[in-house]
Amino acid sequence: MQDEPIDKEDILKKLSEIKKLDYNYADGRILGSMCTEAHPFAKEVYCKFLDTNLGDPGLFKGTKYLEDEVIKSIGNLLSLDKAYGNIVTGGTEANLMAIRAARNHARKYKGIVDGEIIVPISAHFSFKKAADMLNLKIVEADLDDNYRIDVESVKDKITDKTVAIVAIAGTTELGLIDPIEEISRIAHENNIYFHVDAAFGGFSIPFLRQAGYDLPVFDFSLEGVCSITVDPHKMGLAPIPAGGIIFRKEEYLQVMAVDSPYLTVKTQSTIVGTRIGAASAATYAIMCYFGKKGYSQLACEVMDNTYLLKEGLENLGYDVVCEPELNILAFNHPEIETHEFAEKLEKLGWKVSVAKCPIAIRVVLMNHIKKSHIKELLEDLEKIY
Ligand SMILES: *Cc1c(COP(=O)(O)O)cnc(C)c1O
């Protein structure tokens, strides 16, 4: 830091220069991100709540009310009458809270100390962080031929140390929905905590089902499901950071509560202390503004775009890895090795990402990718082919 203050104008000028290093969603070139530009109304609301701190909810009763309302609404979308949970920084923190609840619950009621969690190979890397921080062992369940969690493999991996089973509704790499109903039954029969990671799918599957898409049930209507992660900052169009963790029962929050002596509430179950309130307010606002109708429209639009890209790719002769369930498409060039193919696309200005299971180019068709961008992408792909 320099000694003398600098004029605001000069600082802003420098910042906008530096910001040019960033890619913009609006350019339609970011193809591998699960986040997108937040809705302008959500951003407007976010700014109004910047100083609120949900770590001390007694001081921010209004903002706490908004968080509770958001949790209630998301819970309702997921077939839960009375939901418990928090708006947190993202799917990573939400998953960490779920696994912490499962571990503490198993420790308290079953005396398990060296716990294990069963997660599919397709699980997000946040579970590796959770396992590391919580001193748990990760046991990976295999995938079936369609890249979904293999039910038999889950059964085989259950031991008397299993504290949680995880399945995914909208995998990070392929957007696929695991057979949640079957896993829920197995978890319930074995009295094991079952967490569903719908960080990506949570804000689209319920709306696509409403619109008539034939997608499997993944929510609290299945009695084995104990918690679900849903990220408003992905398909919910809320500003980053906004993740959601929803629990079926209050006891899952209680088993991780610690005393919080100097605050307006006696205990705290969240991981962070001072905690963002703006995310809850912005999520509340955007959910009101869109309604089920608005989200349904959004979810259907991005699905249309997904099919548009799929058709274009197949017409050109590219290999599409699997039939998309959500707005993620993975594909390969029939001859060029995937990383080399990705480099060619990067050189043409496309920011793509490469899936590892299976290795393929992965495009997440978020709201910022419009039909015109898909057309341009297909033109470039035609040149490469
Ligand atoms: C994005 C994602 C996460 C991680 O969420 P962050 O908001 O990046 O922390 C976890 N699980 C799944 C399935 C995801 O798609």
Side-chain angles (χ1 to χ4, degrees):
M1 197 196 301
Q2 81 295 337
D3 286 333
E4 299 300 321
I6 301 176
D7 281 347
K8 279 188 204 163
E9 288 306 314
D10 293 338
I11 299 169
L12 288 172
K13 207 168 132 213
K14 184 164 178 199
L15 287 175
S16 54
E17 272 309 306
I18 294 172
K19 181 115 193 341
K20 285 185 188 150
L21 292 171
D22 294 354
Y23 277 82
N24 285 315
Y25 291 115
D27 295 338
R29 297 267 153 173
I30 302 179
L31 301 183
S33 172
M34 305 189 109
C35 290
T36 187
E37 192 166 353
H39 192 281
F41 181 51
K43 291 195 234 187
E44 188 186 324
V45 172
Y46 189 93
C47 293
K48 292 190 201 296
F49 285 78
L50 276 179
D51 301 320
T52 61
N53 170 20
L54 285 177
D56 208 353
L59 300 180
F60 300 96
K61 292 199 169 106
T63 308
K64 181 59 191 160
Y65 167 80
L66 296 176
E67 182 184 41
D68 291 344
E69 284 296 300
V70 169
I71 295 302
K72 193 161 111 188
S73 299
I74 298 178
N76 285 347
L77 274 178
L78 303 174
S79 312
L80 193 59
D81 285 341
K82 193 151 173 35
Y84 303 89
N86 294 100
I87 293 300
V88 294
T89 53
T92 299
E93 194 185 342
N95 287 339
L96 178 56
M97 275 183 75
I99 299 304
R100 182 166 170 239
R103 182 202 63 172
N104 290 10
H105 200 266
R107 190 166 61 194
K108 183 169 177 188
Y109 293 104
K110 298 183 191 167
I112 299 178
V113 281
D114 303 313
E116 301 172 352
I117 55 173
I118 300 175
V119 307
I121 291 171
S122 55
H124 186 265
F125 56 82
S126 48
F127 291 102
K128 295 203 170 120
K129 297 181 186 175
D132 184 42
M133 282 186 263
L134 297 167
N135 255 316
L136 297 167
K137 185 178 152 201
I138 289 229
V139 178
E140 282 189 327
D142 300 327
L143 302 186
D144 63 18
D145 294 342
N146 300 310
Y147 307 107
R148 290 178 184 82
I149 194 169
D150 184 83
V151 178
E152 287 307 313
S153 170
V154 172
K155 275 191 201 161
D156 289 347
K157 309 247 151 132
I158 292 175
T159 70
D160 53 10
K161 286 183 184 294
T162 308
V163 300
I165 299 172
V166 174
I168 324 285
T171 54
T172 306
E173 294 201 324
L174 302 177
L176 298 176
I177 304 167
D178 282 331
I180 311 279
E181 189 168 356
E182 283 166 88
I183 305 290
S184 168
R185 196 176 323 114
I186 293 165
H188 194 66
E189 277 166 14
N190 289 277
N191 187 27
I192 295 170
Y193 188 103
F194 180 36
H195 174 64
V196 174
D197 183 0
F200 183 68
F203 256 94
S204 58
I205 302 166
F207 304 113
L208 289 172
R209 279 171 59 90
Q210 246 171 36
Y213 278 77
D214 182 22
L215 295 174
V217 183
F218 74 105
D219 66 12
F220 290 105
S221 59
L222 306 169
E223 62 179 342
V225 175
C226 301
S227 54
I228 304 183
T229 289
V230 178
D231 276 1
H233 71 199
K234 289 179 177 170
M235 285 300 290
L237 299 195
I240 297 167
I245 178 67
I246 316 285
F247 291 104
R248 183 189 287 276
K249 296 183 196 159
E250 196 173 17
E251 66 183 69
Y252 296 130
L253 283 170
Q254 285 161 351
V255 292
M256 18 181 208
V258 297
D259 293 340
S260 48
Y262 66 90
L263 300 179
T264 52
V265 284
K266 290 202 175 62
T267 65
Q268 214 174 65
S269 298
T270 48
I271 289 158
V272 295
T274 298
R275 182 161 83 74
I276 189 161
S280 284
T283 304
Y284 177 88
I286 194 67
M287 287 180 77
C288 292
Y289 185 69
F290 271 36
K292 288 181 185 160
K293 219 175 183 172
Y295 277 119
S296 208
Q297 216 165 15
L298 173 69
C300 289
E301 246 166 55
V302 293
M303 282 314 292
D304 288 348
N305 289 343
T306 306
Y307 290 122
L308 183 72
L309 178 59
K310 177 176 181 266
E311 205 179 284
L313 287 166
E314 284 174 346
N315 286 342
L316 290 173
Y318 284 94
D319 301 327
V320 173
V321 167
C322 58
E323 185 63 27
E325 260 185 315
L326 298 178
N327 49 319
I328 299 180
L329 205 61
F331 62 97
N332 275 306
H333 190 287
E335 272 138 36
I336 307 173
E337 191 277 326
T338 307
H339 294 91
E340 209 180 302
F341 179 31
E343 261 170 49
K344 283 184 193 288
L345 284 165
E346 292 261 342
K347 279 205 188 100
L348 292 167
W350 300 100
K351 296 306 290 176
V352 296
S353 83
V354 177
K356 71 174 204 308
C357 186
I359 293 175
I361 300 285
R362 153 185 177 274
V363 175
V364 189
L365 286 117
M366 296 302 285
N367 188 43
H368 60 268
I369 302 173
K370 306 295 181 197
K371 293 200 166 53
S372 58
H373 303 126
I374 295 172
K375 194 166 157 264
E376 284 168 33
L377 174 63
L378 287 169
E379 279 164 12
D380 278 349
L381 285 167
E382 185 167 12
K383 281 181 221 149
I384 296 175
Y385 194 80

